[in-house]
Amino acid sequence: MDTLLLRPEIAALVGPHPRSLVVRAVRDALDQARGAGGIEPDEGWSTAVAGRLARATAPSFVPVINATGVVLHTNLGRATLAGPAIEAMCRAAEGYTTLEYDIGRGARGSRHRHCRDLLVELTGAEDAIVVNNAAGGVLLALAALARDGEAIVSRGELVEIGGSFRIPDVMARSGARLVEVGTTNRTHLQDYEQALTHQTRVLLKVHRSNFQLSGFTAEVEAAELAQLARAGGAASIYDVGSGLLLDLAPWGLAGEPTVPAAVASGVDLVICSGDKLLGGPQAGILVGRAATIAACRQDPLARAVRSDKFTLAALEATLALYRDPQRALREIPVLRMLTEAIDSIQRRGEALRESVGGEASLIEGESEVGGGSFPGTTLETWLVSLTSDRLTADVLAERLRGGDPPVIARIHEGRVVLDPRTIFPEQVTIAARTARAALDG
Ligand SMILES: *Cc1c(COP(=O)(O)O)cnc(C)c1O
């Protein structure tokens, strides 16, 4: 051990790395060598130790190139942020801020003030509060409005969002009792009416964000539910999921409720995510009537699910972009990717294909929105398809993931394909180099 630590190449690792880590790497290399009969590793001691050290100090949370074409890829961090949102987040990280400080009065302020006015302006709601994520928002709302009472939900809307997040489980944790009405495929207004009792606190509508129900189906519109709730002395909540603020129907994306439309339906509270179609940071956004938002703000859980200063900074900057919808479509990456013209995607694909060379070809294909939005909807795209006589698609995809940064590709009909829709223009060169290296290696 001591002899190895004195070798110049190994000694030189101390300094750039803490001594304790170098010692551990040497010990691990020695242990392995002992297990293998006590001989020096094939690559030599210093390379073996440096390799172990590199693996031990490599961060696990690193940027990747998303070549899957899934715009809101949950595993790859959902929405990427607009420039102004990134800058706002950095400013919040660099120094002190007015997070909970009122400059005018020189006294304590509230963090809930920051995105409130913008949300009110953009959605038409009376008031708003931002929490950590939409699941936290659902938990908070049910705790604040329905604890120890009943919340009525359609059997067709008892959804599992992913990561085993199930609406019924969240409701149970909130202290509200779940009352299921209707059937899997059909729920009518009279189902809610019949279930409404003096115990009812909430009528909850959940958008089926990640699956489609088709055929013999019926559901109750938010507006009808809002009316029924009001007449029955209960609150109405509409969990719309994706946080769409602009109508994307002109780009072939229809069927997802916009937040302003959900608010206009008259429900007391609308809940959505900040990092799905809204294109901002992870957040749960609650907008609705003043008294309903006040009840949420005052619930003890509001503190447990509150959002941090980086989120509020990035969300405020993202929301501000929506004041000019054209600017929002241009600068918010999620919206830009979803509305990018097909010939523009084709040009980027062509540039990628050309840089990769021989084994790449450009083919027509489809991209997905992802993130549990617009289920069943696909967007036409161009794909760069990679072929190799020597490598299977799985091996090629694995090699792409071994790039720096890793390139995450999709396998389509047995071929590795790269979708330029989600590859930023400035990533084309590096993605091509990684693909070239993967094919050659
Ligand atoms: C995604 C989603 C949620 C959860 O949102 P998070 O921000 O991921 O917590 C809740 N409800 C619906 C309908 C959703 O689509």
Short mmCIF file of all heavy atoms in Angstrom, two decimals, residues 78 133-136 138 159 161 165 167 206-207 209 239-242 273 275-276 283 371-372, ligand 1:
data_model
loop_
_atom_site.label_atom_id
_atom_site.label_comp_id
_atom_site.label_asym_id
_atom_site.label_seq_id
_atom_site.Cartn_x
_atom_site.Cartn_y
_atom_site.Cartn_z
N ARG A 78 -37.82 16.13 -17.88
CA ARG A 78 -38.95 16.88 -18.42
C ARG A 78 -38.53 18.18 -19.13
O ARG A 78 -37.67 18.15 -19.96
CB ARG A 78 -39.97 17.19 -17.32
CG ARG A 78 -40.80 15.99 -16.94
CD ARG A 78 -42.01 16.49 -16.14
NE ARG A 78 -42.73 15.41 -15.49
CZ ARG A 78 -43.50 15.59 -14.44
NH1 ARG A 78 -43.65 16.78 -13.91
NH2 ARG A 78 -44.15 14.58 -13.91
N ASN A 133 -44.56 20.62 -6.42
CA ASN A 133 -44.95 19.93 -7.66
C ASN A 133 -46.45 19.68 -7.62
O ASN A 133 -47.09 19.95 -6.61
CB ASN A 133 -44.17 18.62 -7.85
CG ASN A 133 -44.45 17.61 -6.77
OD1 ASN A 133 -45.01 17.95 -5.73
ND2 ASN A 133 -44.08 16.38 -6.99
N ALA A 134 -47.01 19.21 -8.72
CA ALA A 134 -48.46 19.08 -8.79
C ALA A 134 -48.99 18.01 -7.84
O ALA A 134 -50.07 18.16 -7.28
CB ALA A 134 -48.90 18.79 -10.22
N ALA A 135 -48.22 16.94 -7.65
CA ALA A 135 -48.67 15.91 -6.70
C ALA A 135 -48.79 16.53 -5.30
O ALA A 135 -49.76 16.26 -4.58
CB ALA A 135 -47.68 14.74 -6.69
N GLY A 136 -47.82 17.37 -4.95
CA GLY A 136 -47.89 18.09 -3.67
C GLY A 136 -49.09 19.03 -3.65
O GLY A 136 -49.72 19.23 -2.60
N VAL A 138 -51.96 18.57 -5.21
CA VAL A 138 -53.18 17.76 -5.01
C VAL A 138 -53.31 17.40 -3.52
O VAL A 138 -54.39 17.53 -2.92
CB VAL A 138 -53.15 16.48 -5.88
CG1 VAL A 138 -54.33 15.57 -5.55
CG2 VAL A 138 -53.16 16.84 -7.36
N VAL A 159 -56.40 7.94 -11.78
CA VAL A 159 -55.24 7.67 -12.61
C VAL A 159 -53.96 7.40 -11.80
O VAL A 159 -53.82 7.85 -10.67
CB VAL A 159 -54.98 8.82 -13.61
CG1 VAL A 159 -56.23 9.09 -14.43
CG2 VAL A 159 -54.55 10.09 -12.90
N ILE A 161 -50.12 8.27 -12.33
CA ILE A 161 -49.38 9.22 -13.17
C ILE A 161 -48.04 8.66 -13.61
O ILE A 161 -47.49 9.03 -14.63
CB ILE A 161 -49.12 10.55 -12.40
CG1 ILE A 161 -50.41 11.09 -11.80
CG2 ILE A 161 -48.47 11.58 -13.28
CD1 ILE A 161 -51.42 11.56 -12.79
N PHE A 165 -47.40 7.05 -8.61
CA PHE A 165 -48.22 8.09 -8.01
C PHE A 165 -49.67 7.88 -8.41
O PHE A 165 -50.02 8.02 -9.57
CB PHE A 165 -47.71 9.47 -8.45
CG PHE A 165 -48.64 10.60 -8.13
CD1 PHE A 165 -48.80 11.03 -6.84
CD2 PHE A 165 -49.36 11.22 -9.13
CE1 PHE A 165 -49.68 12.06 -6.54
CE2 PHE A 165 -50.24 12.25 -8.85
CZ PHE A 165 -50.40 12.67 -7.55
N ILE A 167 -53.72 8.67 -7.70
CA ILE A 167 -54.64 9.63 -7.10
C ILE A 167 -55.29 9.08 -5.82
O ILE A 167 -55.31 9.76 -4.80
CB ILE A 167 -55.71 10.06 -8.14
CG1 ILE A 167 -55.05 11.00 -9.16
CG2 ILE A 167 -56.91 10.72 -7.48
CD1 ILE A 167 -54.72 12.38 -8.64
N VAL A 206 -60.04 14.83 -12.57
CA VAL A 206 -58.63 14.60 -12.90
C VAL A 206 -58.52 14.38 -14.41
O VAL A 206 -59.21 13.51 -14.96
CB VAL A 206 -58.07 13.37 -12.16
CG1 VAL A 206 -56.58 13.19 -12.46
CG2 VAL A 206 -58.29 13.50 -10.66
N HIS A 207 -57.68 15.16 -15.03
CA HIS A 207 -57.48 14.99 -16.47
C HIS A 207 -56.75 13.67 -16.73
O HIS A 207 -55.76 13.37 -16.07
CB HIS A 207 -56.67 16.16 -17.02
CG HIS A 207 -56.34 16.01 -18.47
ND1 HIS A 207 -57.31 15.87 -19.43
CD2 HIS A 207 -55.16 15.95 -19.12
CE1 HIS A 207 -56.74 15.74 -20.60
NE2 HIS A 207 -55.43 15.78 -20.45
N SER A 209 -54.31 12.37 -18.23
CA SER A 209 -53.22 12.97 -19.00
C SER A 209 -52.38 11.94 -19.73
O SER A 209 -51.79 12.24 -20.75
CB SER A 209 -52.34 13.83 -18.10
OG SER A 209 -52.07 13.17 -16.90
N ASP A 239 -57.77 18.87 -11.61
CA ASP A 239 -56.33 18.60 -11.79
C ASP A 239 -56.10 18.40 -13.29
O ASP A 239 -56.42 17.35 -13.84
CB ASP A 239 -55.96 17.34 -10.99
CG ASP A 239 -54.52 16.89 -11.23
OD1 ASP A 239 -53.76 17.63 -11.89
OD2 ASP A 239 -54.16 15.80 -10.76
N VAL A 240 -55.54 19.44 -13.95
CA VAL A 240 -55.38 19.35 -15.41
C VAL A 240 -54.02 18.78 -15.81
O VAL A 240 -53.78 18.52 -16.99
CB VAL A 240 -55.58 20.71 -16.12
CG1 VAL A 240 -57.01 21.19 -15.96
CG2 VAL A 240 -54.59 21.76 -15.63
N GLY A 241 -53.11 18.62 -14.85
CA GLY A 241 -51.84 17.96 -15.15
C GLY A 241 -50.80 18.83 -15.84
O GLY A 241 -49.86 19.30 -15.21
N SER A 242 -51.00 19.06 -17.13
CA SER A 242 -49.85 19.52 -17.91
C SER A 242 -49.55 21.02 -17.88
O SER A 242 -48.46 21.42 -18.27
CB SER A 242 -50.02 19.08 -19.36
OG SER A 242 -51.01 19.87 -19.94
N SER A 273 -48.88 21.15 -13.32
CA SER A 273 -47.42 21.09 -13.15
C SER A 273 -46.77 22.30 -13.80
O SER A 273 -47.28 22.84 -14.77
CB SER A 273 -46.85 19.86 -13.84
OG SER A 273 -47.17 18.70 -13.14
N ASP A 275 -43.53 21.95 -14.98
CA ASP A 275 -42.48 21.50 -15.90
C ASP A 275 -42.97 20.51 -16.95
O ASP A 275 -42.22 19.71 -17.47
CB ASP A 275 -41.31 20.89 -15.11
CG ASP A 275 -41.72 19.70 -14.24
OD1 ASP A 275 -42.92 19.53 -13.98
OD2 ASP A 275 -40.83 18.95 -13.83
N LYS A 276 -44.27 20.58 -17.24
CA LYS A 276 -44.76 19.80 -18.39
C LYS A 276 -44.95 20.81 -19.53
O LYS A 276 -44.00 21.46 -19.91
CB LYS A 276 -46.04 19.06 -18.01
CG LYS A 276 -45.80 17.96 -16.97
CD LYS A 276 -47.07 17.17 -16.72
CE LYS A 276 -46.88 16.10 -15.65
NZ LYS A 276 -48.18 15.52 -15.26
N ALA A 283 -42.78 22.40 -10.54
CA ALA A 283 -43.59 23.17 -9.60
C ALA A 283 -45.02 22.64 -9.68
O ALA A 283 -45.41 22.01 -10.65
CB ALA A 283 -43.59 24.65 -9.97
N GLY A 371 -44.24 13.05 -21.11
CA GLY A 371 -44.59 13.67 -19.83
C GLY A 371 -46.07 13.53 -19.50
O GLY A 371 -46.64 14.33 -18.77
N GLY A 372 -46.71 12.49 -20.01
CA GLY A 372 -48.14 12.33 -19.75
C GLY A 372 -48.94 13.48 -20.31
O GLY A 372 -49.76 14.07 -19.62
C1 LIG B 1 -48.25 14.88 -14.04
C2 LIG B 1 -49.53 14.93 -13.31
C3 LIG B 1 -49.54 15.10 -11.92
C4 LIG B 1 -48.28 15.15 -11.12
O1 LIG B 1 -47.54 16.28 -11.43
P1 LIG B 1 -46.06 16.47 -10.81
O2 LIG B 1 -45.76 17.89 -11.10
O3 LIG B 1 -45.21 15.51 -11.53
O4 LIG B 1 -46.16 16.19 -9.38
C5 LIG B 1 -50.77 15.16 -11.28
N1 LIG B 1 -51.91 15.06 -11.97
C6 LIG B 1 -51.95 14.91 -13.33
C7 LIG B 1 -53.27 14.80 -14.02
C8 LIG B 1 -50.75 14.85 -14.05
O5 LIG B 1 -50.76 14.70 -15.37
#
